[in-house]
Amino acid sequence: MSMLRFPEGRALDFVGLGRLCIDLNANEIHRPMEETLTFTKYVGGSPANITIALARLGARAGFIGRVSNDQFGRFITRYLHEENINVDNVIVDDTGSVTGLAFTEIKSPTDCSILMYRDNVADLKLEPADVSEEYIRQARSLLISGTALAKSPSREAVFVALAYARKHGVVTIFDIDYRPYTWVNKAEIAVYCTMVAENCDVVLGGREEFDLLESSEGPQRQDDDETARKWLDHQARIVVVKRGGDGSIVYSRGGERVEGAVFPANVVKTFGAGDSFAGAFIYGLMQGWSLDRCQQYGSASASIVVSSHSCSDAMPTLDQIRDRIDRFVRSGT
Ligand SMILES: Nc1ncnc2c1ncn2[C@@H]1O[C@H](COP(=O)(O)OP(=O)(O)OP(=O)(O)O)[C@@H](O)[C@H]1O
Ligand SMILES: O=C(O)C[C@@H](O)[C@H](O)C(=O)CO
């Protein structure tokens, strides 16, 4: 068992915090963006994707963030509402900010990149005063994504939210979510992400992301087991090291170490794997499932999303994940 206790009797199962942006995924795939003519618009932003994933699985989800006061901001808020995500703590920013744009280039199933437009974005204008203690008090869990720490006042808002969550026994989840385009330097990443990771119950990241947090400790740590021990020595009850096409390893404070493989996928784009994995994995933790079942659902969810054109729109339902698992059990595909 994961030794993680989600409080009961709360109005929300899960609250995401941070980036709400727009994905513009190239429709002409398997070619460089210089040759792309059209894009499809989706809601994006890692914490938004994970929150949508949880809502799609039936969790009562909410969000804390800022959106721009324009058509994109309204599009995002409406989409979250239509996904039954509570938007009471989604604030319209009126400082003239814009919505972050993530242009996804799909050159091949394994060669994808994101062109980010993030100057003056609304999500990083989130202020400490925007974060409602009452809103967090009614939640069972809170997700913090690392990019929300990249700039003030969003950075300070994160620490306020984390303090409220710890005060009210809310399970705190930190997805390192490193995106280079917003941080000033790697030293800041190590400092601020470490401060959050040391105070969260669940920490998820890829090998390179953990190396960024641990870089101040001399040569980059390559050992996943050592990384897990480090963070489990702090607040963490669960540490997830995501390893792309090689799967993931999940560690618990109770000494479990569970390696998980991937499900076969007809990969359209690799983006969205981490967010879809995280959504189903966290859902499983909330149900009190074993770690290998949480991991299995996370991996199955990821295989569905990497086989799709979008991230948020493609987040699967429980039935879709179960069907994916059943198909693999029956046929190995
Ligand atoms: N090519 C793939 N095919 C099937 N499953 C995959 C593939 N890549 C990743 N996954 C699954 O998704 C999980 C998370 O993937 P990854 O480690 O790439 O996270 P990430 O880097 O956060 O992803 P993202 O690209 O969304 O930021 C993996 O542990 C694995 O279960
Ligand atoms: O998180 C981002 O800013 C990019 C996302 O919008 C995009 O969907 C993605 O890369 C998910 O991994």
Side-chain angles (χ1 to χ4, degrees):
M1 284 305 288
S2 65
M3 302 168 65
L4 207 52
R5 295 275 173 271
F6 289 80
E8 297 298 340
R10 306 279 175 100
L12 294 171
D13 295 310
F14 179 90
V15 170
L17 183 151
R19 192 157 74 266
L20 292 163
C21 77
I22 295 282
D23 284 353
L24 292 166
N25 292 4
N27 291 324
E28 297 82 11
I29 64 174
H30 303 161
R31 69 181 69 176
M33 206 178 300
E34 289 86 344
E35 298 169 17
T36 297
L37 296 177
T38 64
F39 298 85
T40 300
K41 178 180 76 176
Y42 306 105
V43 165
S46 180
N49 290 335
I50 297 172
T51 304
I52 291 162
L54 265 294
R56 211 48 75 76
L57 295 170
R60 298 165 300 160
F63 205 89
I64 298 172
R66 280 201 179 201
V67 291
S68 53
N69 188 8
D70 58 19
Q71 294 90 327
F72 278 159
R74 290 189 286 276
F75 168 72
I76 291 168
T77 306
R78 183 190 309 159
Y79 184 94
L80 296 180
H81 182 70
E82 287 169 354
E83 290 292 330
N84 298 315
I85 294 167
N86 179 290
V87 293
D88 292 348
N89 210 160
V90 173
I91 291 157
V92 177
D93 180 80
D94 57 10
T95 64
S97 63
V98 298
T99 291
L101 302 179
F103 295 91
T104 303
E105 179 179 59
I106 306 172
K107 283 182 176 175
S108 79
T110 54
D111 183 4
C112 302
S113 65
I114 292 189
L115 176 62
M116 281 287 173
Y117 281 13
R118 285 190 56 76
D119 289 344
N120 192 31
V121 290
D123 59 89
L124 290 174
K125 306 271 187 177
L126 186 70
E127 299 184 358
D130 295 340
V131 179
S132 160
E133 178 173 1
E134 179 52 28
Y135 195 75
I136 289 178
R137 191 185 62 76
Q138 65 176 315
R140 299 178 71 208
S141 61
L142 173 74
L143 168 76
I144 291 168
S145 83
T147 301
L149 293 160
K151 208 170 182 179
S152 297
S154 170
R155 176 181 294 164
E156 290 74 16
V158 166
F159 286 105
V160 165
L162 183 55
Y164 289 153
R166 297 291 306 274
K167 175 180 174 183
H168 295 292
V170 177
V171 170
T172 48
I173 302 159
F174 181 49
D175 185 332
I176 299 171
D177 176 41
Y178 171 62
R179 306 280 173 163
Y181 39 72
T182 312
W183 288 95
V184 172
N185 57 53
K186 293 194 173 179
E188 288 201 355
I189 300 168
V191 166
Y192 293 113
C193 287
T194 294
M195 288 167 72
V196 172
E198 288 180 344
N199 288 284
C200 282
D201 301 307
V202 182
V203 181
L204 301 102
R207 179 64 264 157
E208 318 72 48
E209 293 174 323
F210 281 111
D211 286 345
L212 281 169
L213 271 61
E214 299 157 12
S215 57
S216 57
E217 298 172 8
Q220 287 195 339
R221 188 193 306 260
Q222 296 300 327
D223 185 300
D224 294 336
D225 293 356
E226 275 183 60
T227 283
R229 274 194 294 275
K230 169 184 170 63
W231 301 108
L232 290 170
D233 280 348
H234 291 280
Q235 173 71 19
R237 298 294 188 279
I238 305 281
V239 172
V240 179
V241 181
K242 298 178 287 182
R243 306 162 85 189
D246 295 328
S248 59
I249 309 180
V250 180
Y251 301 83
S252 78
R253 172 77 65 87
E256 295 167 279
R257 180 188 187 280
V258 184
E259 286 202 29
V262 302
F263 282 75
N266 299 315
V267 179
V268 171
K269 56 144 189 36
T270 52
F271 288 114
D275 298 342
S276 47
F277 176 90
F281 182 82
I282 293 165
Y283 180 84
L285 291 178
M286 280 181 198
Q287 313 314 309
W289 291 348
S290 64
L291 293 183
D292 57 3
R293 188 178 182 200
C294 295
Q295 197 174 33
Q296 180 192 47
Y297 272 61
S299 299
S301 176
S303 74
I304 292 167
V305 170
V306 298
S307 306
S308 310
H309 189 254
S310 80
C311 293
S312 55
D313 259 17
M315 290 297 176
T317 64
L318 270 181
D319 284 346
Q320 287 170 324
I321 293 177
R322 288 171 180 148
D323 289 347
R324 183 67 193 86
I325 294 169
D326 289 348
R327 190 180 101 208
F328 180 72
V329 169
R330 281 196 315 275
S331 64
T333 59

